[in-house]
């Protein structure tokens, strides 16, 4: 089954939209998604790229565009009370919610929705604690988001993203079918239809080889 690494940072409104759009775009196709939270600021710094929201007109456009995309998807969307915000505690929560450091869809959805629905101050520690307690009640096992292993995993994911050629979020990386092959990168919400096309091509190739 094709494996897709979905790289994201909760601070990105496009990541929120793409997270919800991904299963709809790939409906009917076989695939497995591995959710990979990373620190966007560190990724941009590694590439020498400025933060997109640092330019006010671009910032205004990004939020207008993301809001429109969310509406097209039928998603609730409200800009957090403070943006940009410190997403690192939220990213660590996502990793800590899984003993293997690979958060499932439910965990990511809970955190994305807490941030991008309701227009709340997501830098508020009380809000984070409330969301975390909600997850703890629903999951069989969790770790402490502040423990060293979680911090190390977050750093390692950023390094892996660089190895995969990731330069922004959201990014989907379709892993190669065979060892030594090249991964395929698909960036942004607009890259999702291209990802579907790539999966369709793989499915057709498998069916042809089995015919």
């Amino acid at each position: 089954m094709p494996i897709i690494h979905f790289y994201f940072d909760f601070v990105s409104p496009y990541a929120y939209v793409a997270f919800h759009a991904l299963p709809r775009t790939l409906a009917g196709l076989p695939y497995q998604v591995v959710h990979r939270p990373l620190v966007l600021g560190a990724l941009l710094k590694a590439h020498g790229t400025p933060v997109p929201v640092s330019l006010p007109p671009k910032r205004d456009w990004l939020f207008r565009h993301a809001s429109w995309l969310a509406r097209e998807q039928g998603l609730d969307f409200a800009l957090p009370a403070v943006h940009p915000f410190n997403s690192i505690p939220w990213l660590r929560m996502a990793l800590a919610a899984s003993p293997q450091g690979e958060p499932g869809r439910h965990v990511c959805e809970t955190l994305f929705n807490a941030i991008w629905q309701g227009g709340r101050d997501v830098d508020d520690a009380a809000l984070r604690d409330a969301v975390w307690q909600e997850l703890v009640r629903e999951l069989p096992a969790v770790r402490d988001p502040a423990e060293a292993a979680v911090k190390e995993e977050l750093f390692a994911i950023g390094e892996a993203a660089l190895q995969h050629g990731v330069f922004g979020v959201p990014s989907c990386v379709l892993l190669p079918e065979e060892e030594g092959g090249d991964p395929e990168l698909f960036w942004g919400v607009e890259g999702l239809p291209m990802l579907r096309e790539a999966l369709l091509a793989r499915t057709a190739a498998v069916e042809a080889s089995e015919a």
Side-chain angles (χ1 to χ4, degrees):
M1 182 175 293
I3 298 176
I4 300 166
H5 282 196
F6 179 73
Y7 288 101
F8 66 92
D9 187 333
F10 291 116
V11 77
S12 167
Y14 289 118
Y16 166 69
V17 174
F19 172 81
H20 285 285
L22 182 61
R24 303 175 188 178
T25 304
L26 303 185
L29 297 175
Y31 65 93
Q32 176 185 346
V33 172
V34 179
H35 298 99
R36 306 284 275 166
L38 58 76
V39 181
L40 176 59
L43 181 72
L44 296 178
K45 183 177 180 180
H47 285 295
T49 305
V51 177
V53 296
S54 61
L55 182 65
K58 187 173 185 179
R59 168 190 167 91
D60 293 343
W61 162 252
L62 291 177
F63 292 141
R64 281 179 54 217
H65 187 215
S67 177
W68 181 84
L69 289 172
R71 187 171 67 251
E72 288 292 293
Q73 293 284 333
L75 297 174
D76 290 335
F77 181 92
L79 188 66
V82 176
H83 194 285
F85 56 88
N86 181 14
S87 64
I88 292 178
W90 294 90
L91 296 167
R92 290 176 179 168
M93 284 166 57
L95 291 175
S98 169
Q100 295 77 32
E102 295 180 358
R105 183 166 182 84
H106 170 68
V107 168
C108 295
E109 183 173 13
T110 298
L111 299 178
F112 264 124
N113 291 352
I115 292 168
W116 289 101
Q117 297 178 9
R120 294 175 286 187
D121 179 2
V122 297
D123 276 332
D124 183 3
L127 173 62
R128 292 197 304 268
D129 289 344
V131 175
W132 178 247
Q133 291 306 316
E134 177 185 340
L135 286 175
V136 168
R137 287 195 298 270
E138 299 172 347
L139 299 173
V142 296
R143 298 177 292 165
D144 181 353
E147 72 178 41
V150 173
K151 297 178 182 179
E152 292 168 2
E153 287 169 12
L154 186 59
F155 176 81
I157 291 174
E159 294 296 298
L162 291 172
Q163 292 296 318
H164 277 157
V166 175
F167 54 85
V169 296
S171 285
C172 291
V173 175
L174 179 60
L175 299 188
E177 294 178 283
E178 300 178 356
E179 186 174 350
D182 294 325
E184 296 181 75
L185 174 68
F186 303 86
W187 177 57
V189 178
E190 62 272 26
L192 296 182
M194 292 177 62
L195 174 58
R196 178 178 177 84
E197 185 176 278
L199 286 176
L200 284 169
R202 279 200 186 184
T203 301
V206 170
E207 291 176 349
S209 66
E210 294 175 349

